[in-house]
Amino acid sequence: MEVTDLISITTFCTHYDVPTTFINQLEDYELIEIVVSEQDQYIKVTQINEVEKMMRLHYDLNINLEGLDAVYNLLKRVETLQSEITSLNNKLRLYEDL
């Protein structure tokens, strides 16, 4: 993986003014993946939106990490179900047009 696809955890935490322990706790709950390269820790750029959502849930709504784990997994499940419904609606529309 190229470094351009990664952002340093210290840079991210400085920018968003969150402690690095928060990011490490997210990894402990397996909500994000931390990449270690040359003794520095990074998160994938593609995960930034997800981390921002988790930060808002944790800091703005005061949801603890156990609750955050549950809420985040439920949100992912809802997104999966919504995409499945869209796919099934498209298939149904195809058969209705016949």
Side-chain angles (χ1 to χ4, degrees):
M1 178 161 300
E2 294 184 30
V3 178
T4 57
D5 298 336
L6 305 171
I7 183 167
S8 166
I9 289 178
T10 54
T11 303
F12 180 86
C13 290
T14 302
H15 179 73
Y16 286 97
D17 194 28
V18 295
T20 56
T21 55
F22 176 71
I23 302 298
N24 290 327
Q25 289 173 329
L26 291 178
E27 184 194 31
D28 291 343
Y29 281 91
E30 298 178 359
L31 296 171
I32 64 168
E33 178 184 349
I34 292 179
V35 178
V36 178
S37 175
E38 299 175 15
Q39 298 183 354
D40 287 329
Q41 294 184 326
Y42 300 91
I43 57 174
K44 296 177 184 175
V45 172
T46 56
Q47 291 181 320
I48 291 176
N49 288 335
E50 301 302 316
V51 174
E52 288 174 341
K53 285 180 191 176
M54 289 182 260
M55 286 171 34
R56 285 191 299 274
L57 289 170
H58 182 68
Y59 291 108
D60 295 347
L61 300 177
N62 294 321
I63 297 175
N64 64 14
L65 288 167
E66 291 83 5
L68 183 64
D69 183 30
V71 168
Y72 183 72
N73 286 320
L74 288 172
L75 286 173
K76 285 193 329 188
R77 188 174 218 171
V78 166
E79 288 173 5
T80 301
L81 290 172
Q82 285 175 333
S83 94
E84 186 177 333
I85 287 171
T86 301
S87 173
L88 290 171
N89 278 333
N90 290 339
K91 288 179 183 177
L92 181 62
R93 201 170 298 121
L94 175 71
Y95 289 113
E96 286 177 343
D97 291 343
L98 292 177

